[in-house]
Amino acid sequence: MRAGMTLREVSMASMVSLGYLSEIERGVKDPSSEMIDAVAGALGVTLVDLADSVAGTLRASTPAKHEASASAGVFLLAA
């Protein structure tokens, strides 16, 4: 992943408008899978890498007794 990129650089590399990226970052917009793919590509990661990272974060914050249901939820989010 290319660390230290500005929002403007990600916008230019992903061909996603600066305003839309800002709204995604602030949680105002829910991006489509195509937008997520474009931004991930601009950052040098794949959707699989991104989903795996999110799944790991969710697993770490989910109590062990709910691990099976959390994993199922992650699968649905990644799809």
Side-chain angles (χ1 to χ4, degrees):
M1 181 199 284
R2 292 179 48 193
M5 290 179 74
T6 66
L7 207 55
R8 184 173 306 282
E9 290 169 331
V10 175
S11 173
M12 292 174 65
S14 65
M15 302 298 289
V16 175
S17 77
L18 184 60
Y20 193 78
L21 279 179
S22 178
E23 290 177 327
I24 293 170
E25 185 178 47
R26 290 180 285 128
V28 175
K29 296 284 186 183
D30 292 322
S32 66
S33 57
E34 291 84 3
M35 290 289 182
I36 295 170
D37 186 46
V39 173
L43 296 172
V45 297
T46 66
L47 281 176
V48 172
D49 294 335
L50 186 61
D52 187 49
S53 176
V54 170
T57 300
L58 290 174
R59 272 193 295 275
S61 66
T62 304
K65 67 181 182 177
H66 298 294
E67 190 170 310
S69 63
S71 295
V74 169
F75 180 78
L76 292 174
L77 289 174

